Amino acid sequence: MPENLYSSDVAFTPTVKAIQTRKGSRHGYESMEQRGSWQTGVTPDLADFIHGQTSIFFGTVNAQGQPYIQHRGGPAGFLRVMDEKTLAFADYTGNRQYITSGNLADNPKAFLFLIDYRNRQRVKLWGEARTVEGDLDLLQRLMPEGYRARPEQAILFTVTAWDMNCPQHIPVRFEASDVAALLAERDERIKMLEAELARLRAEA
């Protein structure tokens, strides 16, 4: 079978497929492949999901095969969809270890893991990434308005394939801002009910 006959072959290597066969799940994934396999471009639904993220996990690997996962966060929309195949974000100044930068210099293969705890959704994206230094126009486009962080460089991620997982075992969690909004709505409702109760008592 030719290498990467299906987009999911970026993850389903011959070894992975052999294990799937042994454990009984290969038939189901073969059916998925026949139906077109994983998406390879950013769809409108995926773009909406991406623009809502405030926290992402970015995986790279060095020349020796040692993996590394870096957390990146910011206001919703800090991870931008540039086009159907490209995502980007401003890489802020941090602890200056530069592990991700070094890994990408040796090996462009990269991975993005996005998770929405409130709606129990997760998306996995395989691709390649590169750092872009010195492009002030690009950094200005990527920086969230009013966000207090100093951008050092940009990271561009080219999508190879992506898959949205089932919600099984994802705990339901809420952002503090979501909880604050819900509490404010509750408090406003209580005020309205108290005012209505006071009016009825006065009329009685």
Side-chain angles (χ1 to χ4, degrees):
M1 178 182 294
E3 185 178 2
N4 290 350
L5 177 64
Y6 304 106
S7 57
S8 54
D9 285 350
V10 67
F12 294 166
T13 64
T15 302
V16 171
K17 291 181 180 183
I19 294 173
Q20 290 173 351
T21 298
R22 179 166 59 85
K23 290 182 175 284
S25 63
R26 178 92 282 266
H27 177 72
Y29 288 118
E30 279 181 338
S31 297
M32 178 271 293
E33 292 165 351
Q34 307 283 329
R35 295 192 303 270
S37 196
W38 292 342
Q39 298 269 11
T40 59
V42 179
T43 63
D45 286 345
L46 178 60
D48 287 343
F49 185 86
I50 289 171
H51 288 150
Q53 299 308 297
T54 58
S55 178
I56 66 173
F57 297 94
F58 185 50
T60 57
V61 63
N62 65 19
Q64 289 73 44
Q66 177 64 50
Y68 177 69
I69 295 178
Q70 180 181 58
H71 172 263
R72 278 292 177 260
F78 84 95
L79 179 61
R80 304 288 179 87
V81 176
M82 308 300 284
D83 57 48
E84 186 185 1
K85 296 290 292 184
T86 311
L87 310 180
F89 61 92
D91 196 22
Y92 312 132
T93 300
N95 56 24
R96 303 175 67 83
Q97 290 183 341
Y98 302 116
I99 298 173
T100 294
S101 294
N103 286 358
L104 291 177
D106 287 340
N107 185 343
K109 300 295 185 185
F111 182 82
L112 277 169
F113 184 83
L114 315 179
I115 186 164
D116 177 351
Y117 288 102
R118 179 176 183 176
N119 297 302
R120 301 181 69 224
Q121 292 180 307
R122 55 188 169 190
V123 174
K124 303 178 293 186
L125 299 103
W126 287 261
E128 295 190 353
R130 62 187 176 94
T131 60
V132 178
E133 298 183 44
D135 190 332
L136 299 182
D137 180 63
L138 177 60
L139 282 177
Q140 186 174 13
R141 290 166 57 200
L142 294 178
M143 273 301 294
E145 185 176 355
Y147 190 56
R148 297 183 62 182
R150 185 164 68 87
E152 185 169 2
Q153 59 189 6
I155 292 183
L156 298 184
F157 182 93
T158 302
V159 177
T160 298
W162 63 272
D163 181 41
M164 182 173 286
N165 279 80
C166 69
Q168 190 176 20
H169 306 305
I170 299 178
V172 177
R173 295 176 181 170
F174 294 89
E175 296 281 345
S177 58
D178 293 334
V179 174
L182 290 171
L183 291 177
E185 183 179 332
R186 180 207 61 185
D187 292 344
E188 186 62 27
R189 178 64 176 163
I190 289 173
K191 282 184 182 180
M192 292 175 59
L193 292 172
E194 287 177 338
E196 179 65 12
L197 180 60
R199 184 186 66 80
L200 293 172
R201 284 175 173 169
E203 291 177 353

